[in-house]
Amino acid sequence: CERIQKTPMPFGYLAQQRIFMLLWLVTYPLAIADEYRWASIAVCAVVSFIMLKVDNIGIEIEHPFGTGRHDLPLEAICITIEKNLLEILRRAESRELRPVPLSGLPPSERHHRDRADGRSSTLSASLSEEVER
């Protein structure tokens, strides 16, 4: 998250976008004045409002990490991930890390995956069993 947060938007991109939008908003009334007459003021106000709000949404999206009400709830996401991982570990410990059933494997592969005491040599087998449930 820090890497994404600290990566700035290229200044040239932002400057070009804002200059284009400013020029467009200034020249737009000239383009519609003949057709809409006095209503062009209201039309330009509404269109300008929409364009500036879209720009504001872009600014908000550039910085999704923070504590504002429109930012991602990273604290809640991290707590949920931690609870899920602790539950997986609790379930794995309660089964004493029993291996995944090897009945579908040929005997030669069963020999390589079993230790002398009959348990799987890796935690990943037990965790993959947990994920399948």
Side-chain angles (χ1 to χ4, degrees), residues 48-61:
S48 297
F49 177 78
I50 292 170
M51 294 291 286
L52 292 171
K53 280 300 177 182
V54 168
D55 184 52
N56 193 22
I57 290 170
I59 291 169
E60 285 287 326
I61 290 174

Side-chain angles (χ1 to χ4, degrees), residues 70-84:
H70 297 294
D71 294 328
L72 293 174
L74 292 181
E75 188 72 27
I77 292 170
C78 290
I79 289 171
T80 301
I81 291 170
E82 182 180 13
K83 285 179 181 177
N84 292 341

